Amino acid sequence: MERKVFQLGDIVQMKKNHPCGSNEMEIIRMGMDIRIKCVGCKHSVLIPRAKFEKNMKKVLRSAEAEMGADASPNDLT
Ligand SMILES: [Zn+2]
């Protein structure tokens, strides 16, 4: 299985949508548990790292990449 690479500040897509309808989450704290904030409703949740890795689909926007390149979050091609 491919290892998922993520870091603080990344916007990630979860496998399940948040109840508010958004499935984009921002990583706002990393440790044994990870705190993510819903981009849609700004609600934050603390989840165990293993569970986060299991439920995370992919990194949509890397915090590192955003500093340099002008990444387009709406690339629908
Ligand atoms: Zn939400």
Side-chain angles (χ1 to χ4, degrees):
M1 206 159 87
E2 201 179 320
R3 192 175 140 72
K4 287 163 185 165
V5 180
F6 53 89
Q7 62 178 331
L8 192 67
D10 282 359
I11 306 290
V12 300
Q13 185 179 359
M14 307 305 284
K15 283 177 182 162
K16 276 189 187 171
N17 280 14
H18 197 244
C20 75
S22 174
N23 65 351
E24 291 183 22
M25 298 279 178
E26 181 183 356
I27 300 171
I28 57 172
R29 209 196 89 156
M30 295 235 295
M32 270 169 56
D33 293 325
I34 293 179
R35 185 171 285 277
I36 52 176
K37 187 175 79 176
C38 175
V39 170
C41 66
K42 314 291 184 198
H43 234 253
S44 73
V45 279
L46 191 67
I47 52 174
R49 195 184 187 104
K51 194 178 171 190
F52 172 79
E53 290 195 23
K54 196 167 153 247
N55 293 342
M56 197 258 278
K57 201 168 170 187
K58 61 176 178 178
V59 175
L60 293 173
R61 294 189 285 285
S62 166
E64 206 170 57
E66 230 169 57
M67 282 189 258
D70 185 23
S72 169
N74 298 315
D75 190 358
L76 299 172
T77 47

